[in-house]
Amino acid sequence: MLKPLGRGLLAMVLLAAGALSARAQRPAEFYKGKTITLFVGSTAGGGYDTYARLLSRYFGANIPGNPSIVPQNMSGAGSNRAAGFIYGVAPKDGTAIGIFHEAQMMNQLTRVEGVQFDLRKFNWLGSSYVDPNACMIRRDAPVTTFKEMVGRAQPVAVGGTGPGSNTYDAPRVLAAATGANLKAVAGYPTTNDARVGVERGELQGMCLGWESVKSASKQWLDDKYAHVVVQNGLTKHRELPDVPLAADFAKDDTARAMLKLVDAPAAMSKPFAMPPGVDATLVAVMRFALLSTFADPKFQEEATTMNLEFQPKDAAGIQQVLNDVLATPQPIADQYRTIIAP
C-alpha cells in the first residue's frame, strides 16, 4: 500500500520548485535529447532492480528536457562494485545516477576491504522508504518462534546474497546479539534466488526488509506458508504489532548497540545518488525531479499495483543518517565487523 503524499514531502517539492525556477532553462537545454544511465547495484529481478525500473518509467518526465532513463545492472560484492563505480568512475556530467545497497554505510564503518568511497561525499538525491529488517520462517520449520531459536542446538538456515547485504549481515548480528541459532547462508545472486532456495527446502527462511517481504513474498504470508518471527528497530512496525523486537532478546547494552547499527541502513532504504563533483545546479534539479516522481499520481498508481510503498527521505535526511552511523566509536565498529566477517 502506498502512503499518500505527506505535508513534509509536499513542502520539499514546492521549496525545490521555487529554488529552481530561476535556473531551470540551462538544465533543460542540457538534458534535452540526453540519456541518463541509472546504474543498479544488483542483478535483474531483485528488489533494487524492481524499484529502479519502476522509477525509470516516470523519472525522465520530471526532469527538465525530459531525458531518457536507462537502467543498467551492475551487481557484485553486495553493491560495493556499483557504489565504487558511481563514486570514482561514472561520468560527473549529470548523466549518471546510482542505486546501491544502503548497507554500504556499514561496510565503510567497519572498513571492509574493497570500499573505495566515502558515502558522505556522494550527491544524494533521496531514498525510497524506511524499512525495518524482519525475519520470516517457513511454518513447517522445526521451530516457529524466535524465542525457540535462542539457545537452540540446531541452526535455522536463512538465505542471503552475501557480505554487505542485510540478508546476510542482519541475521549474523541478530544471532550474536541474542543467542539465536541463525545460520546465514550466502551465495544467492538475488533475494528472489534465495526465495527459490526456501521453496526448494535448502533454507528455512530469510531476513530482509519488511517492504521486500510484502512486495515479493506476500503470497507466502497470505497462504501461511511462512510467517515473520522477529523484527529490528526501536519500536514495532505498525503492520507487525504482534511480532517481537530483536532488542527484547539482546544479551546486554553492547548487543543492543549492535542491533541499532544493523538496523541503521533501514532509515534510508534504496537510496539514489549522483557522483561527487556533479554541478550543484544539476544535483538540485535531480533532487527535485526525484521528489516529484515520488509524488506523481501515475507513479503512485503503478507502485500500488506492485505492492510497493514509498516513504521518501530527502538528501539532508540521508546525510544525517550517515553522519550519525559513521561517528560510531571505533571499538563498537570493530566488534560489529568481527560479527559480520565471512
Side-chain angles (χ1 to χ4, degrees):
M1 181 178 178
L2 188 69
K3 277 193 157 187
L5 183 64
R7 291 183 179 179
L9 178 55
L10 180 59
M12 285 190 283
V13 171
L14 293 176
L15 181 61
L20 292 172
S21 61
R23 54 187 181 185
Q25 186 173 358
R26 189 173 75 86
E29 293 172 350
F30 173 78
Y31 279 121
K32 186 176 182 180
K34 289 279 201 313
T35 295
I36 295 175
T37 304
L38 175 54
F39 294 96
V40 185
S42 73
T43 55
Y48 290 79
D49 183 67
T50 298
Y51 275 79
R53 291 182 185 277
L54 170 61
L55 187 90
S56 68
R57 292 195 283 274
Y58 299 91
F59 198 12
N62 290 291
I63 299 172
N66 305 130
S68 300
I69 309 293
V70 178
Q72 179 176 321
N73 295 94
M74 182 176 284
S75 60
S79 280
N80 187 304
R81 179 185 172 212
F85 177 85
I86 293 296
Y87 187 80
V89 181
K92 302 182 186 301
D93 61 357
T95 62
I97 300 173
I99 176 173
F100 47 83
H101 207 294
E102 59 275 2
Q104 292 304 322
M105 74 170 78
M106 307 313 299
N107 287 342
Q108 181 172 336
L109 174 67
T110 56
R111 302 174 181 175
V112 169
E113 184 178 354
V115 171
Q116 299 180 0
F117 49 78
D118 183 347
L119 293 172
R120 291 165 293 195
K121 295 182 180 179
F122 280 92
N123 282 302
W124 294 101
L125 306 183
S127 61
S128 303
Y129 53 81
V130 177
D131 189 25
N133 193 271
C135 293
M136 59 178 174
I137 302 296
R138 285 174 50 148
R139 288 279 184 178
D140 60 358
V143 293
T144 56
T145 68
F146 189 74
K147 185 177 181 179
E148 292 176 288
M149 298 177 197
V150 177
R152 187 172 186 269
Q154 296 299 317
V156 174
V158 293
T161 54
S165 70
N166 62 343
T167 55
Y168 182 79
D169 291 354
R172 291 172 69 89
V173 175
L174 189 58
T178 66
N181 198 346
L182 284 171
K183 179 183 178 182
V185 180
Y188 292 90
T190 71
T191 52
N192 282 338
D193 294 298
R195 288 185 184 92
V196 173
V198 173
E199 294 175 346
R200 287 197 299 240
E202 301 166 0
L203 307 166
Q204 292 166 320
M206 299 174 66
C207 296
L208 67 171
W210 172 235
E211 291 304 322
S212 294
V213 172
K214 289 196 303 178
S215 64
S217 302
K218 185 176 183 298
Q219 197 63 46
W220 285 6
L221 302 178
D222 291 345
D223 294 345
K224 301 190 184 306
Y225 174 79
H227 68 296
V228 179
V229 296
V230 72
Q231 61 181 305
N232 276 350
L234 299 178
T235 59
K236 291 183 177 181
H237 192 282
R238 66 184 183 280
E239 296 175 345
L240 299 171
D242 299 323
V243 177
L245 290 169
D248 293 341
F249 298 90
K251 296 176 180 178
D252 50 36
D253 288 344
T254 299
R256 275 184 280 276
M258 296 297 107
L259 290 172
K260 286 180 66 176
L261 279 181
V262 80
D263 204 49
M268 48 172 282
S269 292
K270 293 183 171 59
F272 295 87
M274 298 179 81
V278 177
D279 180 87
T281 298
L282 297 182
V283 173
V285 165
M286 287 298 186
R287 287 172 176 166
F288 171 56
L290 181 63
L291 292 175
S292 298
T293 302
F294 286 140
D296 186 326
K298 292 183 179 179
F299 170 85
Q300 293 188 358
E301 182 179 358
E302 184 172 355
T304 299
T305 64
M306 296 173 67
N307 292 315
L308 298 179
E309 181 175 342
F310 290 84
Q311 303 167 47
K313 187 183 294 292
D314 65 9
I318 292 176
Q319 202 69 48
Q320 185 61 57
V321 172
L322 291 172
N323 290 342
D324 290 346
V325 170
L326 296 178
T328 300
Q330 200 57 49
I332 293 179
D334 290 342
Q335 185 169 348
Y336 186 95
R337 178 178 183 174
T338 299
I339 292 171
I340 65 173

